[in-house]
Amino acid sequence: MKLREAIDWGRLAPLRLTARAVAEGVYAGAHKSSRRGAGIEFGGHRNYVAGDELRFLDRHARMRHGMLLIREFETETDRSLRLVVDASASMSYASNGAPGAKYAYAALIAAALGRVALSRGDRVALDFAGGEKAVPLPSTGGRDAFERIVGHLEAVTPKGELDSNALEIALSATMRFARRGSAVVVLSDLLDLPESAPDLIGALAAGGRAVVVVQVLDPAELTFPFQGPLALAALEGGARVETDAGLARQGYLDALHELGQRWESGLVARGGHFVQVGSDHDGVDTVRRVLTALSRAGGSRGGRP
């Protein structure tokens, strides 16, 4: 099994063009949101990000504090999308013949989902679990938001391991800022995660959020096509196993199925949904599946698949 340390974008690059094509395959053109302007209650300030609408700039705060601050407003529900992308070392894996690394595919789906949300007039935020040069993107909207999302995704190289503390930190912004009615999509291979991961991620479904976990696996991880003597080396944890592929195949596939069932049952019990995809699956189909799952999760959001 060949393990690659760097991202192999393969035919998924360039991400901007591919993500646009995937999004346009889901929605035939952008459509306006039914919500216009600000909400009904002042919800505080946040730092200005290039591309934010200038009409929400607080000029008084600029004069008092010398800072560019944006006024935020709250409504009873929050039409926003928060994307959490696993960028730990295991996401860099790409088997021979795969179109790209798992992170590349997760980034593609995240970018396409972001573009769909922006076309609805919703805001999008981006968080990472692990990764080198992984910088979270606060909730953003406006004309240049899609480019900012893609720029943050492209800057990351999968690296490192995730323990409970690192995962809690990665999810903390979502727990704090994702209000009732918001959608949360977590993209990960769900491999080598701490035992607390299902509970930590499942807890995101509390408070009326619509949560979908997308398990992204390499085609070889889904089918275990190997033959004969086999040496497997983990990208996280340093484990190494030597075995016979024929003897190990069924046990591996059973364990993978059990992992998916455990995640699905845990999420459904909390009102969330689980989607499993291969990194060679059609992007349009994957985005449609995620949108359909979001429309069912939490009972608070609708999506046109």
Side-chain angles (χ1 to χ4, degrees), residues 230-256:
L230 186 66
L232 301 172
L235 282 169
E236 298 178 32
R240 183 178 177 85
V241 175
E242 295 185 5
T243 185
D244 179 83
L247 296 176
R249 179 175 295 108
Q250 192 57 53
Y252 166 83
L253 293 175
D254 289 344
L256 181 65

Side-chain angles (χ1 to χ4, degrees), residues 75-79 177-183 206-210 298 300:
T75 57
E76 184 179 353
T77 60
D78 179 34
R79 288 170 54 85
F177 295 114
R179 301 188 182 98
R180 179 179 180 83
S182 60
R209 304 182 190 99
S300 58

Side-chain angles (χ1 to χ4, degrees), residues 8 26 38 42 55 67 102 109 116 147 155 166 197 205-206 223 285 288 303:
D8 176 16
V26 176
F42 176 64
R55 63 195 176 111
M67 301 174 61
K102 290 182 287 185
I109 300 305
V116 170
E147 291 299 319
T223 61
D285 178 64
R288 285 185 185 275

Side-chain angles (χ1 to χ4, degrees), residues 102-126:
K102 290 182 287 185
Y103 175 79
Y105 187 80
L108 168 66
I109 300 305
L113 287 169
R115 187 170 176 85
V116 170
L118 292 167
S119 75
R120 295 169 57 98
D122 297 347
R123 298 180 66 83
V124 180
L126 177 63

